Amino acid sequence: MEKPNRNEIQTRTLKGLSTDYTARSDDGNPVIEGYFSVYNSVYDIAPGMSESIAPGAFHNSLSNDIRMLVNHDTTLVVGRTSAGTLTLRDDTHGLWASAQVNPKDSAAMDAHARVERGDVSQASIGFNIIHEDTEIREDGSVHWTITEAELVEVSVCTFPAYTETNVSARSKQKEELFKRKLSAWK
């Protein structure tokens, strides 16, 4: 199996799944919190290709400097672990995050207001794959289970989706797997 490209940050979405994150005020301070990744949920990448994230996959990277962004935009930082404004938790359900939104940051407050009204209700994550298991199913489809990943960021998103480069990277992996399978049969 071709190893995932560790130089590209992968993004995954909770589009179509219950993100269960909200905007609220905690003692008058605005907060965005909830699950940004749900473990063991199947993410359809493209026809015949899917993946899921195993419980604990992010555990080893939770002490890294992680940011909460808006739409994966690195200029729109809502919270950051090293600043003490973003808290992360890894439990059996998924990856939970809570950001204390800066009331003096108009872009962060705009994000809070959009989440609070329900205008923005989906989530996404950015990460690097460290280890994954590959399953080639009888129907020819391929499923990857990510067992360890380096978390880079969590994002509240308007239109979360897999990026084209991720699909093509997975497509190349699928092609390589089938070439190897054919070679083994010869």
Side-chain angles (χ1 to χ4, degrees):
M1 180 183 93
E2 181 180 313
K3 293 286 186 187
N5 184 345
R6 303 294 180 235
N7 297 321
E8 289 182 22
I9 294 176
Q10 307 283 312
T11 58
R12 298 299 184 267
T13 181
L14 288 177
K15 184 177 181 179
L17 299 174
S18 172
T19 58
D20 197 25
Y21 76 91
T22 60
R24 63 176 179 82
S25 292
D26 186 9
D27 295 328
N29 298 314
V31 174
I32 296 174
E33 67 180 9
Y35 285 95
F36 285 75
S37 179
V38 177
Y39 295 138
N40 296 320
S41 293
V42 175
Y43 299 81
D44 289 320
I45 298 169
M49 295 184 294
S50 64
E51 72 181 5
S52 58
I53 300 174
F58 299 113
H59 182 75
N60 291 333
S61 63
L62 293 182
S63 61
N64 294 356
D65 188 13
I66 311 298
R67 291 136 175 98
M68 181 184 287
L69 307 175
V70 178
N71 291 319
H72 300 289
D73 185 339
T74 58
T75 65
L76 298 175
V77 180
V78 177
R80 186 174 180 175
T81 55
S82 66
T85 57
L86 176 63
T87 304
L88 300 169
R89 182 180 70 224
D90 183 32
D91 61 27
T92 56
H93 183 68
L95 175 67
W96 180 87
S98 178
Q100 301 167 14
V101 180
N102 181 355
K104 295 180 182 178
D105 180 340
S106 60
M109 287 302 294
D110 289 347
H112 182 271
R114 289 180 184 115
V115 172
E116 189 172 45
R117 267 182 33 141
D119 297 333
V120 176
S121 61
Q122 294 172 309
S124 189
I125 54 175
F127 60 93
N128 294 310
I129 297 170
I130 304 299
H131 186 266
E132 62 187 0
D133 296 330
T134 304
E135 175 188 1
I136 300 175
R137 297 179 172 164
E138 287 184 25
D139 64 359
S141 65
V142 178
H143 181 81
W144 290 273
T145 302
I146 298 169
T147 57
E148 185 178 358
E150 175 191 22
L151 184 66
V152 176
E153 53 95 359
V154 297
S155 283
V156 294
C157 287
T158 308
F159 293 107
Y162 290 102
T163 64
E164 205 58 37
T165 56
N166 290 338
V167 171
S168 66
R170 287 295 195 192
S171 295
K172 288 178 187 172
Q173 283 183 317
K174 184 178 178 184
E175 290 170 16
E176 181 62 28
L177 287 168
F178 286 119
K179 284 181 190 174
R180 288 182 186 179
K181 194 173 183 180
L182 287 173
S183 294
W185 289 338
K186 291 181 180 181

